Amino acid sequence: MPPAGAPGAARRRRLVLGVTVVVHLVVLYWPTVGDGSGLPGLDKAVHLLVFAAVAWAGHRAGLPTGPLVAVLLAHAVVSEAVQHVALPGRGGDPWDALADAVGTVVGVVVAQQGGRLRRRAE
């Protein structure tokens, strides 16, 4: 990966953030989902991963951590309400919102730790 100040690095980080947000929204608002292929916990893992990805990408793109976390936590609750009320074949689940919150924290922590490791390597 190029140094943080390299030309185009900020643009690439914003592009990665944009792609993760699109995937995040598709996963959360797709009208129907499969049964998880019989894998217990797959739904929770997906929730955790899509929120972690956006938190990680947002942090890497330079978004302030506090507002980033606040928006993602609010979206965790809103997305479950929308799934419950407006998406036939989907249902709101408070455990999904918890997985979303855990994913948000994981994404920020991983991004922060990665930043520390990069700074030490320089």
Side-chain angles (χ1 to χ4, degrees):
M1 177 171 269
R11 183 181 7 232
R12 282 189 296 279
R13 287 189 192 107
R14 287 190 304 270
L15 177 63
V16 168
L17 175 59
V19 169
T20 59
V21 167
V22 168
V23 170
H24 172 90
L25 294 173
V26 168
V27 167
L28 292 176
Y29 296 109
W30 197 260
T32 58
V33 292
D35 62 2
S37 303
L39 298 173
L42 180 62
D43 176 54
K44 304 306 176 258
V46 169
H47 276 267
L48 187 143
L49 288 172
V50 297
F51 274 81
V54 172
W56 174 84
H59 188 276
R60 292 277 294 135
L63 298 179
T65 303
L68 173 64
V69 169
V71 166
L72 287 172
L73 294 178
H75 188 236
V77 174
V78 168
S79 67
E80 291 306 314
V82 169
Q83 287 176 11
H84 184 72
V85 172
L87 295 175
R90 299 290 299 257
D93 181 354
W95 294 109
D96 285 350
L98 179 60
D100 300 341
V102 170
T104 298
V105 172
V106 166
V108 168
V109 168
V110 167
Q112 289 173 337
Q113 293 302 317
R116 287 186 187 112
L117 291 173
R118 277 188 300 284
R119 284 190 296 280
R120 278 192 206 149
E122 293 174 350

